[in-house]
């Protein structure tokens, strides 16, 4: 046997090194990604929880939803948002962050530039009515989505979730999670101003 030929024991030794290196390499990649996210958040002020939507820049899905019985609010249809800058908010009575966000939605509903509508997601009618009765109804129209089909069409990740839709039906902005003062200032308000400047 030539001295250049490797011995079976040598190959096993190299295999052990590879098995040890792979987890270290994966950890280094993970640490690098996490470090970049923290850097973007702390230095650049980027919201790392923001989830991009493939729907931004496309036409909003058609709306033909049944109304919330007993709410005295129109059903959510495409006609309810046509020609208006609209905030479509996905909510449910069982959603704790929806309750936290609700006072902000009530304030937004008073803005004459904005039409606020709601999709009631996988909720019971009586529970939704109690929720709105207790906290107030900011919605110009409400559509019920008992099986989550509309939420799938809109690409909902979790609720609350909101979409700013231009008067021509184009989705301009998406917010996953509840609005708070910071997300209004850095996200929604600039998107509204941009939409109004372009119209």
């Amino acid at each position: 046997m030539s001295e250049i030929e490797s011995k079976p024991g040598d190959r096993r030794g190299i295999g052990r090194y590879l098995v040890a290196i792979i987890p270290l390499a994966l950890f280094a990649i993970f640490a690098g990604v996490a470090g970049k996210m923290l850097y973007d958040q702390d230095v650049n002020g980027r919201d790392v929880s923001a989830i991009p939507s493939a729907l931004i820049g496309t036409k909003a899905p058609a709306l033909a939803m049944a109304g919330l019985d007993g709410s005295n609010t129109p059903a959510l249809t495409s006609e309810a948002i046509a020609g208006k800058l609209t905030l479509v908010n996905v909510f449910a009575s069982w959603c704790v962050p929806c309750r936290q966000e609700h006072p902000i939605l009530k304030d937004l509903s008073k803005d004459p530039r904005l039409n606020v509508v709601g999709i009631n997601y996988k909720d019971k009618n009586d529970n939704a009515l109690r929720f709105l009765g207790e906290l107030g109804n900011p919605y110009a129209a409400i559509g019920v989505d008992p099986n989550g089909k509309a939420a799938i069409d809109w690409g909902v990740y979790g609720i609350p979730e909101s979409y700013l839709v231009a008067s021509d039906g184009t989705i301009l902005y998406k917010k996953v999670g509840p609005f708070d003062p910071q997300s209004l200032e850095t996200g929604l308000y600039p998107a509204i101003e941009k939409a109004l400047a372009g119209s």
Side-chain angles (χ1 to χ4, degrees):
M1 179 187 278
S2 164
E3 291 181 15
I4 299 174
E5 288 182 33
S6 61
K7 297 177 184 171
D10 292 342
R11 277 184 245 146
R12 272 197 304 253
I14 292 171
R16 286 187 199 143
Y17 286 121
L18 287 176
V19 169
I21 289 173
I22 290 172
L24 289 173
L26 291 174
F27 176 77
I29 291 168
F30 174 77
V33 170
K36 172 138 179 39
M37 289 174 65
L38 289 172
Y39 178 82
D40 283 346
Q41 182 176 354
D42 291 342
V43 176
N44 298 331
R46 184 172 165 224
D47 181 5
V48 293
S49 66
I51 300 173
S53 173
L55 295 179
I56 291 179
T58 66
K59 292 292 182 185
L63 293 167
M65 304 173 73
L68 181 63
D69 287 338
S71 68
N72 297 320
T73 305
L76 183 54
T77 62
S78 293
E79 291 74 32
I81 69 170
K84 305 170 191 169
L85 182 60
T86 301
L87 185 69
V88 179
N89 176 254
V90 184
F91 76 101
S93 64
W94 46 263
C95 164
V96 173
C98 296
R99 183 173 289 272
Q100 296 165 348
E101 164 183 77
H102 208 75
I104 290 174
L105 293 175
K106 284 178 60 181
D107 288 342
L108 289 171
S109 71
K110 296 172 187 169
D111 187 334
R113 306 171 302 169
L114 195 60
N115 178 39
V116 179
V117 300
I119 296 175
N120 185 231
Y121 176 74
K122 293 187 176 181
D123 209 352
K124 292 184 179 172
N125 198 86
D126 290 346
N127 292 345
L129 289 175
R130 257 192 306 279
F131 177 85
L132 296 174
E134 179 187 339
L135 301 176
N137 184 356
Y139 304 112
I142 299 173
V144 294
D145 188 21
N147 58 11
K149 183 186 178 313
I152 291 170
D153 292 344
W154 282 79
V156 172
Y157 287 96
I159 62 170
E161 199 157 299
S162 299
Y163 298 81
L164 185 66
V165 181
S167 57
D168 69 356
T170 303
I171 297 175
L172 304 174
Y173 168 82
K174 174 181 179 176
K175 170 73 172 95
V176 177
F179 282 114
D180 57 25
Q182 181 180 358
S183 62
L184 290 176
E185 291 299 327
T186 61
L188 182 62
Y189 290 157
I192 290 172
E193 295 297 332
K194 185 176 178 183
L196 293 173
S199 59

Short mmCIF file of all heavy atoms in Angstrom, two decimals, residues 7 20 28 52 60 78 93 104-105 112 122 125 136 141 151 178 182 194 198-199:
data_model
loop_
_atom_site.label_atom_id
_atom_site.label_comp_id
_atom_site.label_asym_id
_atom_site.label_seq_id
_atom_site.Cartn_x
_atom_site.Cartn_y
_atom_site.Cartn_z
N LYS A 7 -5.72 5.64 5.08
CA LYS A 7 -6.13 4.46 5.81
C LYS A 7 -7.57 4.63 6.26
O LYS A 7 -8.02 5.76 6.47
CB LYS A 7 -5.21 4.25 7.01
CG LYS A 7 -3.77 4.01 6.61
CD LYS A 7 -2.91 3.90 7.82
CE LYS A 7 -1.43 3.76 7.42
NZ LYS A 7 -0.54 3.85 8.54
N ALA A 20 -18.54 17.43 13.89
CA ALA A 20 -18.38 18.46 14.92
C ALA A 20 -18.48 19.86 14.33
O ALA A 20 -18.99 20.78 14.96
CB ALA A 20 -17.04 18.29 15.64
N ALA A 28 -23.04 29.44 14.16
CA ALA A 28 -22.44 30.71 13.72
C ALA A 28 -23.39 31.46 12.80
O ALA A 28 -23.55 32.68 12.91
CB ALA A 28 -21.11 30.45 13.03
N PRO A 52 -43.14 40.96 6.10
CA PRO A 52 -43.51 41.48 4.79
C PRO A 52 -44.70 40.73 4.22
O PRO A 52 -44.92 39.56 4.53
CB PRO A 52 -42.25 41.23 3.95
CG PRO A 52 -41.50 40.17 4.66
CD PRO A 52 -41.86 40.29 6.11
N ALA A 60 -56.61 44.42 -3.31
CA ALA A 60 -57.16 43.72 -2.15
C ALA A 60 -58.10 42.61 -2.61
O ALA A 60 -58.77 42.76 -3.64
CB ALA A 60 -57.91 44.70 -1.26
N SER A 78 -66.97 44.68 -0.94
CA SER A 78 -66.04 45.51 -1.71
C SER A 78 -66.58 46.93 -1.88
O SER A 78 -65.82 47.89 -1.93
CB SER A 78 -65.77 44.87 -3.08
OG SER A 78 -65.06 43.64 -2.90
N SER A 93 -63.13 38.75 19.66
CA SER A 93 -63.38 39.05 21.08
C SER A 93 -62.42 38.28 21.99
O SER A 93 -62.10 38.74 23.08
CB SER A 93 -64.83 38.69 21.45
OG SER A 93 -65.04 37.29 21.29
N ILE A 104 -57.22 52.71 20.18
CA ILE A 104 -56.53 53.35 19.05
C ILE A 104 -57.42 53.29 17.82
O ILE A 104 -57.53 54.27 17.06
CB ILE A 104 -55.16 52.70 18.80
CG1 ILE A 104 -54.20 53.05 19.95
CG2 ILE A 104 -54.58 53.11 17.46
CD1 ILE A 104 -52.86 52.36 19.90
N LEU A 105 -58.10 52.15 17.60
CA LEU A 105 -59.00 52.04 16.45
C LEU A 105 -60.16 53.02 16.57
O LEU A 105 -60.60 53.61 15.57
CB LEU A 105 -59.52 50.61 16.32
CG LEU A 105 -58.49 49.55 15.95
CD1 LEU A 105 -59.12 48.17 15.97
CD2 LEU A 105 -57.87 49.83 14.59
N PRO A 112 -61.44 61.82 9.56
CA PRO A 112 -62.30 61.88 8.36
C PRO A 112 -61.62 61.39 7.08
O PRO A 112 -62.29 61.10 6.10
CB PRO A 112 -62.66 63.37 8.26
CG PRO A 112 -61.62 64.09 9.02
CD PRO A 112 -61.13 63.15 10.09
N LYS A 122 -63.13 34.09 13.26
CA LYS A 122 -63.38 32.87 14.04
C LYS A 122 -63.94 33.19 15.43
O LYS A 122 -63.42 32.73 16.45
CB LYS A 122 -62.11 32.02 14.15
CG LYS A 122 -61.66 31.43 12.83
CD LYS A 122 -60.50 30.47 13.01
CE LYS A 122 -60.12 29.82 11.71
NZ LYS A 122 -59.01 28.86 11.86
N ASN A 125 -70.91 35.13 17.43
CA ASN A 125 -71.65 36.38 17.23
C ASN A 125 -71.90 37.10 18.56
O ASN A 125 -71.64 38.31 18.67
CB ASN A 125 -72.97 36.08 16.52
CG ASN A 125 -73.58 37.32 15.91
OD1 ASN A 125 -73.25 37.69 14.79
ND2 ASN A 125 -74.46 37.99 16.64
N GLY A 136 -66.95 49.73 22.48
CA GLY A 136 -67.35 50.66 21.43
C GLY A 136 -67.07 50.07 20.05
O GLY A 136 -66.22 49.20 19.91
N ALA A 141 -68.07 49.17 8.76
CA ALA A 141 -68.64 47.92 8.24
C ALA A 141 -67.90 46.77 8.91
O ALA A 141 -66.72 46.89 9.24
CB ALA A 141 -68.51 47.84 6.73
N ALA A 151 -59.55 35.46 6.01
CA ALA A 151 -58.21 35.70 6.58
C ALA A 151 -57.13 35.05 5.72
O ALA A 151 -56.06 35.63 5.51
CB ALA A 151 -58.15 35.17 8.01
N PRO A 178 -50.92 44.43 17.43
CA PRO A 178 -51.71 45.62 17.76
C PRO A 178 -50.97 46.91 17.46
O PRO A 178 -49.75 46.99 17.57
CB PRO A 178 -51.95 45.46 19.27
CG PRO A 178 -50.78 44.67 19.75
CD PRO A 178 -50.43 43.74 18.63
N GLN A 182 -46.04 54.08 18.84
CA GLN A 182 -44.86 54.04 17.98
C GLN A 182 -45.18 53.52 16.58
O GLN A 182 -44.74 54.08 15.58
CB GLN A 182 -43.76 53.18 18.62
CG GLN A 182 -42.50 53.15 17.76
CD GLN A 182 -41.39 52.31 18.36
OE1 GLN A 182 -41.55 51.76 19.44
NE2 GLN A 182 -40.28 52.20 17.66
N LYS A 194 -48.63 59.32 2.67
CA LYS A 194 -48.14 58.98 1.33
C LYS A 194 -49.30 58.67 0.39
O LYS A 194 -49.32 59.08 -0.77
CB LYS A 194 -47.19 57.78 1.43
CG LYS A 194 -46.53 57.41 0.13
CD LYS A 194 -45.54 56.29 0.32
CE LYS A 194 -44.91 55.87 -0.99
NZ LYS A 194 -44.00 54.74 -0.84
N GLY A 198 -50.43 60.92 -2.92
CA GLY A 198 -50.44 60.31 -4.26
C GLY A 198 -51.80 60.32 -4.93
O GLY A 198 -51.90 60.04 -6.11
N SER A 199 -52.84 60.64 -4.16
CA SER A 199 -54.19 60.58 -4.76
C SER A 199 -54.61 61.91 -5.35
O SER A 199 -53.99 62.91 -5.19
CB SER A 199 -55.21 60.14 -3.72
OG SER A 199 -55.24 61.03 -2.63
#
